[in-house]
C-alpha cells in the first residue's frame, strides 16, 4: 500500500474515500496485453495504481508499471476516464473501501524485460492474448471499453 493511502487509512479506517488512480493497457508487437497476477487475491489485473503526493498522473502510471512489471513506458496516450461509482468502487480483502477516479492509458512503446520489482504485490507479470482478458475485474474492463472506443473514434471515453 502506498504511503498516501496509509496516511488516509490511519485517519478513516476502512471507510470509503475517492482516490485518483491510473491504469494502462500495454501492448507488445504480437498484439498481446501486459497483465499482472496480484498476490493479495490471485486475480489477473492491468498495471494500475493510486496517485501519490507530489506526482502527476503520468508519473504515477509510469511508476506503477515499473514497480509491477519491471518495464519502462516510453510514451503513452490517454484513452479514457473511468469514474462510475458502481464500477470503480472496490472493497479489498482487508475491508478497506475505495472509489477510484481512474485515468486510463494505452502504450505500445516500452523498454526492458518483465521482472516485477514489487514482489509483495505482484506474483507474476506477462503478456497474454486479448481473449484472456475476460477474466479481468469489472472495474478494469473499463479500460478495454475505452481502448475499443479510442481506436474507433480517436476520442477519449468518459464513463
Amino acid at each position: 500500500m502506498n504511503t498516501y493511502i496509509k496516511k488516509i487509512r490511519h485517519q478513516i479506517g476502512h471507510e470509503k474515500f475517492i482516490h485518483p488512480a491510473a491504469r494502462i493497457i500495454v501492448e507488445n508487437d504480437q498484439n498481446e496485453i501486459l497483465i499482472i497476477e496480484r498476490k493479495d487475491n490471485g486475480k489477473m489485473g492491468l498495471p494500475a495504481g493510486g496517485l501519490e503526493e507530489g506526482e502527476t498522473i503520468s508519473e504515477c502510471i509510469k511508476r506503477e508499471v515499473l514497480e509491477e512489471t519491471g518495464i519502462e513506458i516510453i510514451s503513452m496516450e490517454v484513452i479514457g476516464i473511468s469514474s462510475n461509482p458502481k464500477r470503480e468502487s472496490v472493497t479489498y480483502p482487508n475491508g478497506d473501501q475505495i472509489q477510484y477516479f481512474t485515468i486510463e492509458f494505452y502504450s505500445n512503446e516500452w523498454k526492458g524485460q518483465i521482472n516485477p520489482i514489487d514482489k509483495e504485490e505482484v506474483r507474476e507479470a506477462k503478456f497474454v492474448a486479448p481473449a484472456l482478458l475476460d477474466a479481468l475485474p469489472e472495474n478494469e474492463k473499463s479500460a478495454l471499453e475505452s481502448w475499443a472506443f479510442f481506436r474507433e473514434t480517436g476520442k477519449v471515453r468518459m464513463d
Side-chain angles (χ1 to χ4, degrees):
M1 183 184 312
N2 68 40
T3 56
Y4 178 68
I5 291 178
K6 281 182 186 176
K7 287 192 326 188
I8 292 173
R9 287 287 171 220
H10 181 71
Q11 298 293 319
I12 67 167
H14 297 298
E15 286 185 56
K16 183 187 279 189
F17 72 96
I18 298 171
H19 187 44
R23 75 175 57 100
I24 190 167
I25 293 174
V26 179
E27 186 177 31
N28 67 13
D29 292 338
Q30 291 76 43
N31 299 332
E32 297 170 316
I33 306 302
L34 184 63
I35 58 103
I36 62 166
E37 182 185 340
R38 299 179 55 92
K39 272 194 172 177
D40 63 353
N41 61 17
K43 292 184 180 178
M44 164 195 309
L46 295 172
L51 186 69
E52 284 278 358
E53 287 180 280
E55 73 181 357
T56 67
I57 199 71
S58 60
E59 290 168 339
C60 167
I61 196 60
K62 288 179 179 182
R63 172 184 50 78
E64 290 288 349
V65 170
L66 184 62
E67 289 173 1
E68 293 178 357
T69 71
I71 68 169
E72 183 180 339
I73 298 296
I74 297 169
S75 71
M76 62 193 171
E77 51 195 312
V78 174
I79 59 170
I81 299 170
S82 183
S83 61
N84 183 325
K86 290 180 182 171
R87 181 175 249 180
E88 290 293 337
S89 293
V90 176
T91 300
Y92 287 96
N94 68 354
D96 287 352
Q97 298 176 57
I98 201 157
Q99 179 183 322
Y100 289 109
F101 179 94
T102 306
I103 307 300
E104 299 167 325
F105 294 90
Y106 169 83
S107 177
N108 63 359
E109 294 184 56
W110 50 273
K111 65 181 180 180
Q113 299 295 316
I114 295 176
N115 184 18
I117 294 169
D118 186 349
K119 307 283 188 196
E120 290 182 27
E121 184 179 343
V122 177
R123 180 173 290 129
E124 181 182 22
K126 62 185 175 184
F127 282 96
V128 299
L132 298 176
L133 299 177
D134 285 342
L136 285 173
E138 282 305 310
N139 64 320
E140 295 190 28
K141 288 180 182 176
S142 170
L144 302 177
E145 295 166 13
S146 294
W147 186 35
F149 183 80
F150 186 82
R151 286 184 306 198
E152 183 178 314
T153 67
K155 295 180 181 178
V156 172
R157 179 178 164 270
M158 291 183 268
D159 176 36

